[in-house]
Amino acid sequence: MKAMVLRKKNEPFVLEERPDPKAGSGEAVARVIACGSGLTIHHARSGRVAINYPIIIGHEVLGEIVETGSGVQGFKSGDIVTLHCYLSCGHCRWCRVNREPLCDNLLGFVGRHVDGGYAEFIKLPARNFIHVPEGIDYKNHPAEVAVICDAIATPYKVVRRARIAPLETVAVFGAGGGLGIHMVMMARWAHARVIAVDISAGKLGKCREVGAEAVVDASKENVVEALRDLTGGMGVDVAVDFVSSVSTLEAAAESLGKGGRLVTLGGYSPQPFRASASRLLNGELEIMGSRAFTKQEIIESLDLCARGQVWPLVTETYRLEEAEKVHARLEAGRITGRAAIVMG
Ligand SMILES: [Zn+2]
């Protein structure tokens, strides 16, 4: 099969001819139809996260099952699938309570520790595949359907985890990014009032198009003051921070009103940030992390898309051979929403 392979950190992709994967016991092989190209996998490309080289990256996949190994139930050739990228054990305490991202025995991630979707075929434990429901037009929208498993599932989880309620005010930091813009959409879907915070005027315009009621240009305004002004001095109910630098986290914490919740999803920086204990106490504020999504949250995200309630924003598609081009645009922050590779 053809595959775009990363041989070392920060090196260009190399188009290789690899042996077609064969399904072992408990495994299945899918023909890749499309694979998302977001910032998460760009972090893998640029070596900012742990990775097993050489590797085929890509974890937002739409595919068609072509082979199942012994003992596999629930999948057959021809099934249309997407995937859950956490290689969780399925039987520890955290897996049992439906919090697979916290798995005690996590073996890693698709596209970082085992080969992912930048190839003609992908082989995984069968239980990592998820059926795409009928009613989703994957034939006409392969790129969009491929990214649901992360771009929609991640903010869908935040809606629940932060308990976003109708008419609450939600500030999204990094709202113009690939996940941020979908967070704007999902908070709007939850009937919240959404304020988009970003440093790109063009992307803030797009945030308005997908549901932001107000925007704050952090390159020009004092974010905390702007959010106080936009909420009549009350502060926001929920601040979701996809940037999660020290300065954005401190601004996000400072912008919370009484009963406010701060959610961080950046997480690549180990640096601590400061928040006032008296503000936490007196306002009963909450600070929380939200890590990816469970398999069930992907299934529900697919269902939401099948019902036409939300739909991912993919603005650029490329052929497999053009992976280098899309990653140059990701590095430069030029992509609005998501980009994706669509196989020929
Ligand atoms: Zn587990």
Side-chain angles (χ1 to χ4, degrees):
M1 68 171 179
K2 277 192 300 184
M4 287 304 266
V5 179
L6 280 178
R7 291 178 178 167
K8 278 184 189 155
K9 174 177 171 173
N10 256 331
E11 285 200 355
F13 292 98
V14 180
L15 185 64
E16 288 187 8
E17 189 62 38
R18 288 275 191 99
D20 289 352
K22 298 293 293 175
S25 174
E27 295 176 332
V29 175
R31 177 179 63 81
V32 176
I33 301 170
C35 182
S37 303
L39 207 52
T40 309
I41 67 165
H42 186 62
H43 288 316
R45 157 81 165 80
S46 59
R48 286 190 280 266
V49 292
I51 196 163
N52 290 348
Y53 297 102
I55 189 84
I56 300 167
I57 64 169
H59 68 278
E60 295 175 313
V61 173
L62 170 71
E64 176 186 1
I65 298 287
V66 293
E67 188 197 0
T68 55
S70 64
V72 171
Q73 294 181 331
F75 292 98
K76 61 180 188 314
S77 290
D79 285 356
I80 301 301
V81 292
T82 185
L83 61 82
H84 186 221
C85 60
Y86 273 64
L87 298 165
S88 49
C89 76
H91 54 73
C92 74
R93 172 189 172 195
W94 298 108
C95 287
R96 288 199 306 272
V97 298
N98 192 29
R99 296 183 77 176
E100 296 113 326
L102 305 184
C103 176
D104 284 333
N105 311 306
L106 196 63
L107 289 173
F109 310 94
V110 175
R112 281 170 54 185
H113 303 97
V114 300
D115 285 335
Y118 276 20
E120 288 180 292
F121 296 97
I122 180 171
K123 177 182 78 169
L124 291 175
R127 61 191 175 81
N128 279 81
F129 286 114
I130 297 169
H131 288 283
V132 172
E134 284 183 26
I136 286 196
D137 185 3
Y138 73 91
K139 285 185 179 158
N140 285 314
H141 304 283
E144 285 84 354
V145 178
V147 306
I148 292 169
C149 64
D150 183 344
I152 297 293
T154 298
Y156 176 65
K157 172 172 177 166
V158 173
V159 168
R160 284 184 155 179
R161 187 149 167 68
R163 308 185 304 282
I164 293 173
L167 303 181
E168 283 196 321
T169 301
V170 177
V172 181
F173 288 68
L179 282 173
I181 204 154
H182 289 95
M183 185 72 239
V184 171
M185 266 185 221
M186 292 303 296
R188 179 61 183 257
W189 167 79
H191 301 288
R193 175 188 180 222
V194 189
I195 304 172
V197 182
D198 207 289
I199 52 172
S200 153
K203 288 184 176 178
L204 285 170
K206 199 71 193 174
C207 290
R208 278 191 191 276
E209 285 175 32
V210 303
E213 186 180 303
V215 300
V216 174
D217 186 337
S219 69
K220 297 191 178 130
E221 299 173 70
N222 178 309
V223 175
V224 177
E225 281 176 16
L227 291 174
R228 294 254 162 212
D229 287 347
L230 285 165
T231 53
M234 306 262 284
V236 302
D237 296 299
V238 177
V240 186
D241 189 353
F242 287 94
V243 183
S244 294
S245 65
V246 171
S247 64
T248 60
L249 285 165
E250 290 181 353
E254 195 63 26
S255 69
L256 294 178
K258 288 178 188 172
R261 289 86 76 196
L262 165 61
V263 189
T264 171
L265 291 97
Y268 291 105
S269 165
Q271 269 190 300
F273 69 98
R274 294 191 304 176
S276 153
S278 67
R279 287 199 70 241
L280 290 178
L281 168 66
N282 292 321
E284 292 198 333
L285 309 184
E286 296 171 59
I287 296 177
M288 64 185 89
S290 185
R291 188 173 176 186
F293 32 72
T294 63
K295 195 168 166 181
Q296 182 61 23
E297 281 156 349
I298 295 175
I299 291 168
E300 291 171 14
S301 298
L302 289 162
D303 193 27
L304 276 183
C305 292
R307 290 160 184 261
Q309 300 207 0
V310 291
W311 193 246
L313 178 70
V314 177
T315 54
E316 303 179 20
T317 60
Y318 295 85
R319 291 179 295 111
L320 180 65
E321 294 80 359
E322 296 174 308
E324 202 58 49
K325 194 165 151 189
V326 61
H327 282 265
R329 288 182 57 73
L330 282 165
E331 179 72 34
R334 293 221 175 90
I335 290 170
T336 301
R338 267 282 195 273
I341 302 282
V342 177
M343 307 297 284

